């Protein structure tokens, strides 16, 4: 028996180490979803359960610490009921994503677990479910009640899966049903092969939780792939939205005019125009952040061409507290173009455009300020019949790539201020 206890302890300690490794690795997931957080709680609970039960077997080898072994046994058994509750919440959260059902369907499981844990703990003193005498465990007359409640909880989870079968993903259906039957199998084996007992149950539970872990990481990889695809589409959309026909026509007309009036300036304008187009096209293939100094160079290409068109009606001011930070490519550029086109360009006497950067303890701020006509609303369609796809792409790429934000304040007759915030950790 001593050798068996030692073997059981080693198996459970090994399982506890696996749970700890998975838990540590899972914490590296950025911005974990509610499902990942519940899975982390499940991993933590199983780690404590396996460690406690392993300690119980190790201590039971020596009669000198039998009472401590009993305490660890009591902890591990109570945690088994807690695990059922957490698994129930995990299933409900998956269903809730598609249906919006009440979390009370998860709280029902918590009621089950609380009642069963209390009965189990009090049985240590009253012997209703079991008794431990001189280190020997013996089932009580009402032991069947704890098994009945555990099976009832498993059946409840199964019914929830069946009722909402169609809203669950195929992968989740397979994993959840596998877990349900695995849990039932572990209880049956415990009755059929009592000599093996609890270690087999916990081994099966460990394998099931590993299955849940693999499932959630498959889902995370799918979400990352979708995120990458959205970023690619966003870069393509931003590039297309920025190369506006009206700007191309105006720039080419200005260059055509300069070819006769000022050939050297026309040559310079062609070079700036070429750099502007290259900057937009190059951004499509960039899947990482760029220095603001590079973004600033692209902005200056654009503003040089607009300055040729508007001349004194466009005043440009740079208040650059810093240029050494990173941001998604073509982030500030759309804001500058909108400030010129929908702000200053609509004002009778032109206006002033200010590009400002500020370094703060928590991150970096970029301001694009114009004193044009104001009343700018990026959600409304403008004269070209298109919504400002570029602004939404800027906001989306800031959030996805650097956890940043974009705020736009506009007052009719006074102008518009666009503010980008980038957390320092991403720069």
């Amino acid at each position: 028996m001593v050798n068996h206890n030692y073997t059981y302890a080693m198996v459970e300690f090994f399982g506890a180490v696996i749970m700890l490794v998975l838990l540590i690795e899972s914490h590296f997931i950025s911005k974990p979803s509610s499902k990942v957080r519940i899975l982390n709680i499940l991993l933590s609970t199983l780690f404590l359960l396996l460690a406690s039960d392993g300690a119980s077997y190790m201590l039971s080898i020596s009669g000198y610490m039998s009472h401590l072994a009993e305490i660890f046994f009591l902890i591990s058994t109570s945690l088994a009921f807690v695990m059922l509750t957490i698994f129930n919440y995990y299933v409900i959260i998956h269903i809730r994503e598609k249906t919006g059902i009440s979390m009370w369907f998860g709280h029902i499981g918590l009621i089950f677990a609380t009642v069963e844990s209390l009965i189990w703990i009090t049985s240590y003193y009253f012997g209703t479910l079991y008794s431990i005498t001189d280190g020997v465990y013996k089932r009580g007359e009402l032991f069947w009640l704890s098994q009945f409640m555990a099976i009832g909880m498993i059946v409840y989870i199964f019914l929830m899966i069946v009722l909402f079968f169609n809203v669950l993903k195929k992968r989740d259906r397979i994993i959840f049903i596998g877990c349900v039957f695995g849990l039932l199998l572990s209880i049956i084996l415990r009755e059929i092969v009592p000599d093996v007992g609890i270690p087999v149950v916990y081994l099966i539970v460990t394998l099931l939780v590993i299955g849940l872990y693999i499932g959630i990481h498959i889902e995370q990889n799918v979400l990352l792939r979708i995120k990458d695809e959205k970023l690619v589409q966003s870069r393509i959309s931003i590039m297309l939205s920025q190369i506006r026909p009206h700007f191309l026509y105006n720039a080419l007309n200005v260059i055509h005019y300069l070819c006769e009036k000022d050939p050297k300036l026309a040559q310079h304008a062609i070079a700036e125009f070429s750099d502007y187009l290259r900057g937009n096209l190059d951004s499509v293939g960039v899947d990482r952040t760029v220095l603001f100094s590079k973004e600033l160079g692209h902005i200056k290409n654009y503003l040089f061409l607009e300055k040729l068109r508007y001349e004194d009606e466009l005043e440009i001011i740079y208040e650059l507290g810093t240029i050494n930070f990173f941001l998604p490519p073509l982030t500030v550029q759309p804001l500058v173009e909108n400030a010129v086109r929908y702000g200053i360009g609509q004002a009778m006497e032109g206006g002033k455009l200010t590009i400002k950067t500020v370094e703060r303890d928590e991150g970096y701020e970029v301001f694009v300020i114009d004193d044009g006509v104001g009343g700018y609303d990026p959600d409304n369609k403008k004269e070209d019949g298109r919504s400002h796809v570029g602004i939404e792409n800027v906001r989306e790429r800031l959030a996805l790539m650097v956890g940043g934000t974009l705020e736009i304040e506009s007052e009719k007759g006074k102008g518009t201020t666009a503010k980008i915030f980038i957390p320092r950790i991403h720069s």
Side-chain angles (χ1 to χ4, degrees):
M1 180 63 69
V2 172
N3 290 336
H4 285 168
N5 286 351
Y6 182 79
T7 301
Y8 295 157
M10 290 300 99
V11 170
E12 293 191 348
F13 282 143
F14 180 71
V17 170
I18 292 176
M19 292 302 104
L20 184 61
V21 170
L22 295 182
L23 182 62
I24 293 173
E25 198 277 336
S26 183
H27 276 291
F28 284 100
I29 297 177
S30 60
K31 296 182 178 179
S33 63
S34 56
K35 290 185 289 189
V36 174
R37 288 192 289 269
I38 289 292
L39 180 63
N40 287 342
I41 295 174
L42 189 62
L43 291 171
S44 302
T45 304
L46 184 55
F47 165 74
L48 293 174
L49 185 154
L50 291 171
S52 299
D53 205 55
S56 173
Y57 278 109
M58 286 295 293
L59 294 173
S60 65
I61 294 174
S62 171
Y64 297 105
M65 302 183 70
S66 60
H67 290 298
L68 187 57
E70 292 171 7
I71 292 173
F72 278 117
F73 168 76
L74 190 61
I75 292 173
S76 64
T77 309
S78 298
L79 287 175
F81 304 133
V82 174
M83 280 192 56
L84 273 178
T85 302
I86 299 171
F87 177 55
N88 179 50
Y89 275 117
Y90 189 72
V91 172
I92 295 300
I93 285 177
H94 277 75
I95 297 173
R96 185 179 170 83
E97 281 185 340
K98 300 293 184 180
T99 64
I101 66 170
S102 171
M103 282 305 296
W104 272 104
F105 286 97
H107 299 337
I108 290 174
L110 180 61
I111 296 172
F112 267 95
T114 302
V115 171
E116 192 159 6
S117 295
L118 288 174
I119 294 175
W120 192 268
I121 292 172
T122 56
S123 291
Y124 181 78
Y125 301 98
F126 301 110
T128 52
L129 301 183
Y130 66 93
S131 61
I132 301 177
T133 306
D134 297 328
V136 178
Y137 170 83
K138 183 180 179 181
R139 294 181 178 181
E141 294 181 356
L142 298 179
F143 177 80
W144 62 269
L145 180 61
S146 67
Q147 301 303 291
F148 177 79
M149 294 183 69
I151 292 174
M153 184 64 189
I154 295 171
V155 170
Y156 172 75
I157 296 172
F158 179 72
L159 289 176
M160 295 302 299
I161 296 171
V162 171
L163 288 173
F164 297 96
F165 190 78
N166 292 330
V167 304
L168 292 171
K169 297 177 182 177
K170 182 178 180 181
R171 179 185 64 250
D172 294 330
R173 296 172 189 170
I174 295 172
I175 293 175
F176 291 162
I177 292 176
C179 286
V180 167
F181 282 99
L183 291 170
L184 289 174
L185 177 63
S186 66
I187 294 176
I188 293 171
L189 285 176
R190 183 181 178 184
E191 298 302 315
I192 296 176
V193 193
D195 291 339
V196 177
I198 292 177
V200 170
V201 175
Y202 292 164
L203 176 61
I204 292 175
V205 171
T206 301
L207 294 176
L208 295 177
V209 172
I210 291 174
L212 292 175
Y213 178 86
I214 293 173
I216 199 71
H217 274 261
I218 291 174
E219 180 176 338
Q220 290 294 316
N221 289 333
V222 171
L223 291 176
L224 285 174
R225 188 179 73 249
I226 293 174
K227 174 183 174 181
D228 291 339
E229 291 174 354
K230 288 179 68 177
L231 285 174
V232 171
Q233 291 301 318
S234 179
R235 286 194 295 269
I236 294 173
S237 297
I238 193 78
M239 183 271 291
L240 294 175
S241 69
Q242 288 310 106
I243 304 179
R244 294 178 176 136
H246 86 283
F247 172 72
L248 298 181
Y249 299 150
N250 291 332
L252 290 173
N253 283 333
V254 170
I255 293 172
H256 178 266
Y257 170 74
L258 290 174
C259 285
E260 293 185 1
K261 182 180 178 181
D262 191 339
K264 288 187 177 180
L265 185 56
Q267 186 178 13
H268 186 189
I270 291 173
E272 295 285 345
F273 187 54
S274 175
D275 289 342
Y276 169 80
L277 292 177
R278 185 184 303 113
N280 276 350
L281 294 172
D282 288 348
S283 71
V284 177
V286 177
D287 57 358
R288 60 186 180 279
T289 56
V290 298
L291 272 171
F292 174 75
S293 56
K294 182 175 181 179
E295 175 88 348
L296 183 63
H298 187 59
I299 292 169
K300 289 182 175 180
N301 292 144
Y302 165 76
L303 288 177
F304 176 85
L305 297 169
E306 290 289 47
K307 183 69 173 175
L308 289 177
R309 176 189 175 196
Y310 288 104
E311 297 181 337
D312 293 339
E313 292 182 3
L314 174 60
E315 181 183 356
I316 303 169
I317 298 175
Y318 297 98
E319 298 179 4
L320 305 176
T322 178
I323 59 173
N324 296 316
F325 60 93
F326 290 87
L327 74 175
L330 287 184
T331 301
V332 183
Q333 175 75 16
L335 305 178
V336 172
E337 293 201 16
N338 279 307
V340 173
R341 183 179 185 191
Y342 298 116
I344 298 169
Q346 302 294 322
M348 292 294 294
E349 298 180 356
K352 179 171 62 179
L353 171 69
T354 302
I355 299 173
K356 178 181 177 180
T357 62
V358 179
E359 181 177 1
R360 303 192 185 280
D361 292 339
E362 61 273 17
Y364 301 88
E365 293 177 339
V366 182
F367 297 87
V368 177
I369 307 167
D370 72 79
D371 59 359
V373 296
Y376 170 70
D377 183 357
D379 294 326
N380 287 341
K381 293 191 174 183
K382 300 298 180 179
E383 61 194 46
D384 59 359
R386 300 177 304 160
S387 63
H388 285 179
V389 177
I391 298 301
E392 286 309 308
N393 278 330
V394 168
R395 186 173 280 117
E396 182 178 358
R397 289 185 301 121
L398 277 169
L400 289 173
M401 296 180 71
V402 296
T405 58
L406 167 63
E407 298 176 3
I408 297 179
E409 295 182 0
S410 187
E411 185 175 350
K412 194 169 184 178
K414 292 189 177 181
T416 302
T417 298
K419 183 181 80 170
I420 290 174
F421 174 74
I422 300 173
R424 183 177 291 274
I425 189 172
H426 292 285
S427 300

